[in-house]
């Protein structure tokens, strides 16, 4: 095919460490098929699915059902998290003994694990089994006034427990200056910690009135996060793709349908503005997140799977949620003019998304 514009780039396809496909239980918001299509449309061929489904994913039964569905849809590769606490409530973690391949990560999304003792036990289990434990410390808000303090405290605590246990701790949706400062210190100390940042937390500030966890932050927070990206402290961009119906949003559900706007938000706010180059963005959208999952993707080279994305970095276009493949059209960025358009996504050499088909 001949492309008629300058600015066409081939990159490794993206890997998203933090995605909600809502199966089982909330398929009216998203399901594995619509979520897979949304991922492919966003340039992603690998996703790590959160466990806050209904019922929450606390057993290999649910993991296996999800994996089977993902396989039969066949558009992306997926990993399914198991919840840290059984049923994502209470203090029971004996289900962790039954976790086997292909599970890579544990995660209680939407809340941190309140008890430090319990979190330590879970981390020790992760260390023993070679699993990654995902911390949602920044979901730990208690009330609107003290949320920032509570979240920062839990970030700090989880880093101490990481030191204590030696487990691989992955900090989700890091968005405050304090959190990234603590993580920087921990990394300097050599702790086994990685972290992700969400595109919307880099792209917009708290002047935007839209409900998402963690909330939009101040300009000074964004500056600290971007500085950390430049320094190589941030391992991955992860979308926290959280699709909801418009009715659920009206009733206060937090979250942004973000997997189809991830590349343009990052390209526009990081590369176009001159903070980092495209190679660095590729590194945190593809190579590093794949490495965290322990898979051989996200690079172009011998023995690496041919998961690729073709993007146009010259074309300026408007975000239109009505074009989303996701069931969730919930985005505060409708109508925004952005750079960085996904044209074609290849999964193992096969086209799984082509803008020409829209
Ligand atoms: C999450 C969701 O919708 O699953 N929403 C979000 O804003 N990140 C749940 C949560 O983390 O509160
Ligand atoms: Zn979370
Ligand atoms: Zn959350
Ligand atoms: Zn989430």
């Amino acid at each position: 095919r001949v492309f008629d514009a300058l600015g066409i780039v081939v990159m490794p396809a993206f890997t998203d460490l933090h995605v909600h496909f809502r199966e089982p239980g909330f398929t009216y918001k998203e399901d594995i098929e619509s979520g897979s299509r949304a991922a492919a449309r966003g340039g992603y061929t690998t996703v790590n699915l959160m466990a806050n489904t209904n019922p929450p994913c606390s057993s290999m039964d649910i993991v296996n059902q999800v994996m089977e569905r993902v396989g039969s849809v066949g558009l992306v590769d997926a990993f399914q998290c198991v919840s840290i606490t059984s049923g994502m409530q209470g203090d029971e973690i004996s289900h962790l003994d039954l976790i086997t391949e292909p599970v890579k990560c544990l995660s209680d999304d939407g809340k941190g694990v309140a008890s430090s003792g319990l979190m330590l036990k879970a981390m020790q289990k992760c260390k023993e089994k070679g699993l990654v434990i995902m911390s949602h410390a920044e979901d730990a808000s208690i009330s609107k006034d003290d949320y920032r303090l509570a979240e920062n405290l839990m970030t700090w605590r989880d880093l101490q427990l990481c030191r204590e246990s030696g487990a691989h701790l992955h900090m989700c949706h890091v968005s405050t200056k304090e959190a990234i400062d603590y993580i920087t210190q921990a990394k300097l100390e050599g702790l086994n910690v990685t972290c992700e940042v969400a595109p919307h937390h880099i792209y917009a500030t708290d002047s935007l009135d839209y409900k998402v966890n963690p909330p939009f932050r101040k300009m000074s927070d964004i500056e600290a996060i971007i500085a950390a990206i430049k320094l190589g402290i941030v391992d991955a961009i992860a979308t926290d793709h959280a699709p909801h119906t418009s009715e659920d949003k009206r009733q206060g559900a937090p979250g942004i349908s973000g997997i189809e706007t991830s590349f343009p938000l990052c390209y526009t706010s990081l590369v176009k503005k001159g903070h980092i180059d495209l190679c660095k963005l590729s590194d945190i959208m593809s190579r590093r997140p794949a490495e965290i999952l322990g898979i051989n993707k996200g690079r172009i080279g011998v023995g690496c799977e041919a998961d690729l994305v073709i993007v146009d970095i010259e074309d300026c276009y408007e975000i239109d949620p009505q074009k989303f493949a996701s069931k969730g059209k919930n985005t505060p960025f409708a109508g925004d003019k952005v750079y960085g358009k996904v044209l074609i996504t290849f999964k193992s050499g096969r086209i799984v998304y082509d803008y020409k088909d829209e």
Side-chain angles (χ1 to χ4, degrees), residues 12-19 42-48 77 79 235-239 259 262 282-299 307:
F14 312 130
T15 286
D16 197 341
L17 292 173
H18 188 159
V19 177
Y44 287 87
T45 57
T46 310
V47 291
N48 190 35
D77 290 333
F79 295 90
D235 296 278
I237 295 290
T239 65
I259 204 163
S262 175
S282 173
D283 199 53
I284 56 178
M285 290 189 73
S286 302
R287 188 190 62 85
R288 275 298 282 148
E291 204 166 73
I292 288 169
L293 289 172
I295 55 174
N296 193 21
K297 272 198 194 186
R299 294 174 296 116
D307 284 20

Side-chain angles (χ1 to χ4, degrees), residues 18-20 50 52 109-110 136 139 173 213 240-242:
H18 188 159
V19 177
H20 300 270
M50 293 300 112
N52 62 336
D109 203 345
H136 293 266
D139 290 329
H173 40 55
N213 285 336
D240 196 3
H241 174 67

